[in-house]
Coordinates of all heavy atoms in Angstrom, one line a residue:
L84 N -25.0 54.3 -46.2 CA -25.7 55.5 -46.2 C -27.2 55.3 -46.6 O -28.0 56.0 -45.9 CB -25.0 56.4 -47.1 CG -25.6 58.0 -47.2 CD1 -25.6 58.7 -45.9 CD2 -25.0 58.8 -48.3
D85 N -27.4 54.6 -47.6 CA -28.9 54.4 -48.0 C -29.7 53.9 -46.8 O -30.8 54.5 -46.5 CB -29.0 53.5 -49.2 CG -28.4 54.1 -50.4 OD1 -28.2 55.4 -50.5 OD2 -27.9 53.3 -51.4
F86 N -29.2 52.9 -46.1 CA -30.0 52.4 -45.1 C -30.0 53.4 -43.9 O -31.2 53.6 -43.3 CB -29.3 51.1 -44.5 CG -30.1 50.5 -43.2 CD1 -31.1 49.7 -43.6 CD2 -29.8 50.7 -42.1 CE1 -31.9 49.1 -42.5 CE2 -30.5 50.2 -41.0 CZ -31.6 49.3 -41.2
L87 N -28.8 54.0 -43.5 CA -28.8 54.9 -42.4 C -29.8 56.1 -42.7 O -30.6 56.5 -41.7 CB -27.4 55.5 -42.1 CG -26.4 54.5 -41.7 CD1 -25.1 55.0 -41.7 CD2 -26.8 54.0 -40.2
I88 N -29.9 56.7 -43.9 CA -30.7 57.8 -44.1 C -32.2 57.4 -44.1 O -33.1 58.2 -43.8 CB -30.3 58.3 -45.6 CG1 -29.0 59.0 -45.4 CG2 -31.4 59.2 -46.2 CD1 -29.1 60.5 -45.5
S89 N -32.5 56.2 -44.7 CA -33.8 55.7 -44.7 C -34.5 55.4 -43.5 O -35.6 54.9 -43.5 CB -33.9 54.5 -45.7 OG -33.4 53.4 -45.2
Q90 N -33.9 55.5 -42.4 CA -34.4 55.0 -41.0 C -35.3 56.0 -40.3 O -35.9 55.7 -39.3 CB -33.2 54.4 -40.1 CG -32.6 53.2 -40.8 CD -33.6 52.2 -41.3 OE1 -34.3 51.6 -40.4 NE2 -33.6 52.0 -42.5
G91 N -35.5 57.2 -40.9 CA -36.3 58.1 -40.2 C -37.8 57.8 -40.3 O -38.3 57.3 -41.3
E92 N -38.4 58.0 -39.1 CA -40.0 57.9 -39.1 C -40.6 58.7 -40.3 O -40.0 59.8 -40.5 CB -40.4 58.3 -37.8 CG -41.9 58.1 -37.5 CD -42.7 59.4 -37.9 OE1 -42.2 60.6 -37.8 OE2 -43.8 59.2 -38.3
I93 N -41.6 58.3 -41.0 CA -42.0 59.0 -42.2 C -42.3 60.4 -42.1 O -42.0 61.2 -42.9 CB -43.1 58.0 -42.9 CG1 -43.3 58.5 -44.3 CG2 -44.4 58.2 -42.0 CD1 -42.3 58.1 -45.2
H94 N -43.0 60.8 -41.0 CA -43.5 62.1 -40.8 C -42.2 63.0 -40.5 O -42.0 64.1 -41.1 CB -44.4 62.3 -39.6 CG -44.7 63.8 -39.3 ND1 -45.6 64.5 -40.2 CD2 -44.4 64.5 -38.3 CE1 -45.7 65.7 -39.7 NE2 -44.9 65.8 -38.5
Y95 N -41.2 62.6 -39.7 CA -40.0 63.3 -39.6 C -39.2 63.4 -40.7 O -38.7 64.4 -41.1 CB -39.2 62.5 -38.4 CG -37.9 63.1 -38.1 CD1 -37.8 64.4 -37.4 CD2 -36.6 62.8 -38.6 CE1 -36.6 65.0 -37.2 CE2 -35.5 63.3 -38.4 CZ -35.5 64.5 -37.7 OH -34.2 65.1 -37.4
E96 N -39.1 62.3 -41.5 CA -38.4 62.4 -42.7 C -38.9 63.3 -43.7 O -38.2 64.1 -44.3 CB -38.3 60.9 -43.4 CG -37.4 60.9 -44.6 CD -37.2 59.4 -45.2 OE1 -37.8 58.5 -44.6 OE2 -36.7 59.3 -46.2
N97 N -40.3 63.3 -43.9 CA -40.9 64.1 -44.9 C -40.8 65.6 -44.6 O -40.6 66.6 -45.4 CB -42.4 63.8 -45.0 CG -42.6 62.6 -45.8 OD1 -41.8 62.0 -46.5 ND2 -43.8 62.0 -45.6
E98 N -40.7 65.9 -43.2 CA -40.6 67.2 -42.8 C -39.2 67.8 -42.6 O -39.0 69.0 -42.9 CB -41.3 67.3 -41.3 CG -41.6 68.7 -40.8 CD -42.3 68.6 -39.6 OE1 -43.5 68.2 -39.6 OE2 -41.8 69.2 -38.5
T99 N -38.3 66.9 -42.5 CA -36.9 67.3 -42.2 C -35.8 67.0 -43.3 O -34.9 67.7 -43.5 CB -36.4 66.8 -40.9 OG1 -37.4 67.0 -39.9 CG2 -35.1 67.4 -40.4
R100 N -35.9 65.8 -43.8 CA -34.8 65.2 -44.7 C -34.4 66.1 -45.9 O -33.2 66.3 -46.0 CB -35.4 63.9 -45.3 CG -34.6 63.3 -46.5 CD -33.3 62.8 -45.9 NE -32.4 62.3 -46.9 CZ -31.5 62.9 -47.5 NH1 -31.2 64.2 -47.2 NH2 -30.8 62.4 -48.5
F101 N -35.2 66.8 -46.6 CA -34.7 67.5 -47.8 C -34.4 68.9 -47.4 O -34.0 69.7 -48.4 CB -35.7 67.3 -48.9 CG -35.8 65.9 -49.3 CD1 -36.9 65.1 -48.9 CD2 -34.8 65.2 -50.1 CE1 -37.0 63.8 -49.3 CE2 -34.9 64.0 -50.5 CZ -36.1 63.2 -50.0

Side-chain angles (χ1 to χ4, degrees):
L84 178 62
D85 292 335
F86 181 83
L87 293 171
I88 288 253
S89 70
Q90 296 312 295
E92 183 272 328
I93 194 69
H94 177 72
Y95 178 77
E96 183 176 356
N97 288 340
E98 198 172 295
T99 313
R100 168 69 183 99
F101 298 102

